[in-house]
Amino acid sequence: MARTTDEALALWLKRLALRSELDEAERQAILGLPGEAVAVAAGQDFVRVGERVDHACLIVEGLAARFAQLGNGQRGVVAFHIPGDMADLHSVVARQVTWALQAAAPSRILRIPHAALDALATEHPRLAIAFWRDCIVDANVLAQWTVNIARKDSAARVAHLLCELFLRYRAAGLSGYDFFPFPITQVMLADAVGLTPIHLNRVLKRLRDERLATKDLYEIVLKNGEGLVALGEFDPAYLQFPDTTPKRPLDL
Amino acid sequence: MARTTDEALALWLKRLALRSELDEAERQAILGLPGEAVAVAAGQDFVRVGERVDHACLIVEGLAARFAQLGNGQRGVVAFHIPGDMADLHSVVARQVTWALQAAAPSRILRIPHAALDALATEHPRLAIAFWRDCIVDANVLAQWTVNIARKDSAARVAHLLCELFLRYRAAGLSGYDFFPFPITQVMLADAVGLTPIHLNRVLKRLRDERLATKDLYEIVLKNGEGLVALGEFDPAYLQFPDTTPKRPLDL
DNA sequence: CGCATACTTGAAATAGTTCAAAAGACGTGG
DNA sequence: CCACGTCTTTTGAACTATTTCAAGTATGCG
């Protein structure tokens, strides 16, 4: 189960290659990136607001959440990063940290020096484009979250998020046929969909009772993909995966 | 009042230069960009979902909203673009449109061919970085919107948005001492803060009654900047303006 | 003047929150 | 391997912010 840092770089390469064509030299350059492996305990912040960072964080194993802390102690989660995601690739061009990163579960990350990423972008201009594009996809996901939270009811928000995460894990090759690992508490998941933990719990109960999906501390199991797609009004276009145009988005 | 397209390019240059150092050659390259001027009526979509575009849209005059259309006819606005914003700079690296752009008021835009922007990015690698960074700032704004909608009450959301827009208009040199042009209906503003138009109307009434701000069809007037900052829990760090560290964010 | 668009207000309904408590899981040390 | 404390989930009941439904009032424009 223990993933090596080499495997994590390969996962990131796979993610980049989903949206950008890369030649052999570019691929080797990614795979040859240096980095410092760091273990992070669940609940621990590994990037803090206000810092200036000189490295980006590749998620090797576990799960990371990008979030803001509000005055009254509330939190807003604005992104989840799964293994193979460069959680703060944007920091390469915006070093002042405005969003904290926290491990939602025991995780391992690889700290990749900005210097190395800068060098790659300079030497391989098409990699610079690929990096930029990767950030655009993250922004697309965020825009979709905004719409979901602003205009859909609690069950639709959760259903939509589950669809999104399933496809992202599957694109990374990390999902099973009808499940994906998602080691997170209900409290943090609630922070990502803009609900109280209590109400999220009731929504999860409803999804369970209606045989749509189940969640425990470690994973999500999808029982009825079409039902989730319908409930969440899910259309995967915003994820910018290669255009396979399947009839059913989740294709279970 | 009629702004020329040259002036619009100068505005965009100013916006880029806020966050990226640019030398004279780079500045001239931006100012020399070609483009096709287009007038857009209020309520008209000028970029539609599903299209593939070969140009990016610089807002010359007016106001543009990026939005999603939901199944039941509801809308979610995910960004406002003011004059001097390249509303879909991201399209340079992601040509498949996933968010529509609509003029919120009678507007003029400049269609700048991707080919020209590509050429600039290739010839001036630091401009490629500046473009990428500009997209990161837009994503930052979006993340802040997500937090606001997910975790703040209706009045705080609106107050926060007014603070943000004031600073953005002011950075562009388009604000007055205590007001900024914002030609938008309450219906569309409601779509941006995730409220019903009816409730937004009540929130605006409250802001008016409490002498915080007033809105008409054409502009927003801030009556009490500190009050808005406090109500919206506004911290301008996410806008990534040069670090002037004013005591009061709005500095009225 | 009359129609269209935008805004305003009231009252009833409801989705989601808040407060309060208990029950289940899980690891640790005795 | 059992007891204990901690963390997470679950459930109930009262409350409230926001929505929904239903008019009605400005404002501008041809």
Side-chain angles (χ1 to χ4, degrees):
Chain A
M1 193 63 227
R3 190 153 27 234
T4 66
T5 59
D6 280 359
E7 285 164 345
L9 283 168
L11 274 180
W12 187 44
L13 170 57
K14 187 170 169 182
R15 181 188 154 140
L16 290 173
L18 274 175
R19 287 113 178 174
S20 308
E21 260 185 64
L22 300 176
D23 67 24
E24 196 50 33
E26 289 155 352
R27 289 167 184 269
Q28 289 306 322
I30 294 284
L31 294 176
L33 278 167
E36 177 198 359
V38 179
V40 189
Q44 190 185 328
D45 292 5
F46 58 93
V47 174
R48 275 156 293 270
V49 172
E51 286 181 345
R52 290 200 125 240
V53 291
D54 61 0
H55 60 267
C57 300
L58 175 64
I59 310 302
V60 177
E61 237 172 24
L63 179 67
R66 193 172 344 155
F67 70 94
Q69 189 84 47
L70 276 74
N72 54 6
Q74 288 202 100
R75 294 190 151 211
V77 168
V78 294
F80 287 123
H81 290 292
I82 72 176
D85 285 355
M86 191 71 77
D88 54 356
L89 182 56
H90 55 269
S91 68
V92 172
V93 294
R95 307 204 167 190
Q96 194 69 39
V97 175
T98 50
W99 306 97
L101 283 171
Q102 178 174 99
S107 301
R108 284 186 303 124
I109 64 171
L110 191 63
R111 286 189 181 151
I112 299 183
H114 285 158
L117 292 164
D118 277 337
L120 242 61
T122 305
E123 197 175 339
H124 303 277
R126 283 155 38 103
L127 279 182
I129 300 290
F131 294 168
W132 178 5
R133 182 173 292 130
D134 206 53
C135 287
I136 298 302
V137 171
D138 278 347
N140 246 0
V141 169
L142 199 45
Q144 187 62 54
W145 282 31
T146 305
V147 172
N148 289 340
I149 294 175
R151 286 293 183 229
K152 291 181 189 167
D153 69 23
S154 55
R157 286 182 214 175
V158 174
H160 194 286
L161 181 59
L162 297 188
C163 293
E164 172 189 308
L165 287 166
F166 180 61
L167 289 195
R168 285 171 59 193
Y169 274 98
R170 194 169 67 178
L174 299 174
S175 72
Y177 170 69
D178 63 351
F179 68 93
F180 59 91
F182 196 55
I184 196 180
T185 63
Q186 292 185 9
V187 171
M188 188 173 270
L189 185 53
D191 284 333
V193 288
L195 297 173
T196 54
I198 288 135
H199 195 65
L200 175 71
N201 181 274
R202 296 193 231 263
V203 170
L204 291 176
K205 176 174 165 50
R206 177 180 152 193
L207 296 183
R208 204 186 314 133
D209 290 348
E210 296 185 5
R211 305 282 140 81
L212 289 166
T214 62
K215 171 185 185 311
D216 62 29
L217 243 181
Y218 307 104
E219 63 179 20
I220 304 276
V221 182
L222 307 187
K223 302 290 191 188
N224 175 355
E226 292 201 41
L228 287 169
V229 166
L231 178 57
E233 290 195 57
F234 181 76
D235 173 351
Y238 73 102
L239 290 172
Q240 310 254 97
F241 288 134
D243 187 16
T244 53
T245 56
K247 289 152 295 290
R248 294 160 306 164
L250 260 43
D251 197 22
L252 277 182
Chain B
M1 194 62 228
R3 189 152 29 231
T4 66
T5 58
D6 281 357
E7 286 164 344
L9 283 169
L11 275 180
W12 187 45
L13 170 58
K14 187 170 168 181
R15 182 188 153 139
L16 290 173
L18 275 175
R19 286 114 178 173
S20 307
E21 261 186 62
L22 300 176
D23 67 26
E24 196 51 32
E26 288 156 351
R27 288 167 185 270
Q28 289 307 322
I30 295 284
L31 294 175
L33 277 167
E36 177 198 359
V38 179
V40 188
Q44 190 184 328
D45 292 4
F46 58 94
V47 174
R48 275 157 293 270
V49 172
E51 286 180 346
R52 291 201 121 237
V53 291
D54 60 0
H55 59 269
C57 300
L58 176 64
I59 310 303
V60 177
E61 235 172 27
L63 178 68
R66 193 171 345 153
F67 70 95
Q69 190 84 46
L70 275 73
N72 54 5
Q74 288 202 99
R75 293 189 152 210
V77 169
V78 294
F80 286 124
H81 290 291
I82 72 176
D85 285 354
M86 190 71 77
D88 54 355
L89 182 56
H90 56 269
S91 68
V92 172
V93 293
R95 307 203 166 191
Q96 193 69 39
V97 176
T98 50
W99 305 96
L101 283 170
Q102 178 173 98
S107 302
R108 285 186 301 124
I109 63 170
L110 191 63
R111 285 189 183 151
I112 300 183
H114 284 159
L117 292 163
D118 277 337
L120 243 61
T122 305
E123 197 175 339
H124 303 277
R126 281 153 40 103
L127 280 182
I129 300 290
F131 295 167
W132 177 6
R133 182 174 293 131
D134 206 53
C135 287
I136 297 302
V137 171
D138 279 348
N140 246 0
V141 170
L142 199 45
Q144 188 62 53
W145 283 31
T146 305
V147 171
N148 289 340
I149 295 175
R151 288 290 182 229
K152 292 180 189 168
D153 69 23
S154 56
R157 287 182 215 176
V158 175
H160 194 285
L161 181 60
L162 297 187
C163 294
E164 172 189 310
L165 287 167
F166 180 62
L167 289 195
R168 285 171 58 193
Y169 274 99
R170 194 170 66 178
L174 299 173
S175 72
Y177 170 69
D178 64 351
F179 69 93
F180 59 91
F182 197 56
I184 194 178
T185 63
Q186 292 186 6
V187 171
M188 188 172 271
L189 186 54
D191 284 334
V193 288
L195 296 173
T196 54
I198 289 136
H199 195 66
L200 174 71
N201 181 275
R202 294 192 233 263
V203 170
L204 290 175
K205 176 173 164 51
R206 176 180 153 192
L207 296 183
R208 204 187 313 132
D209 291 347
E210 296 184 3
R211 307 280 141 81
L212 289 164
T214 62
K215 171 187 184 311
D216 63 29
L217 241 182
Y218 307 104
E219 63 179 23
I220 304 277
V221 182
L222 307 187
K223 302 290 191 188
N224 175 356
E226 292 201 44
L228 286 170
V229 166
L231 178 57
E233 289 194 57
F234 181 75
D235 173 351
Y238 73 103
L239 290 171
Q240 310 254 97
F241 288 135
D243 186 18
T244 54
T245 54
K247 288 153 295 291
R248 294 159 307 164
L250 258 47
D251 198 22
L252 277 181

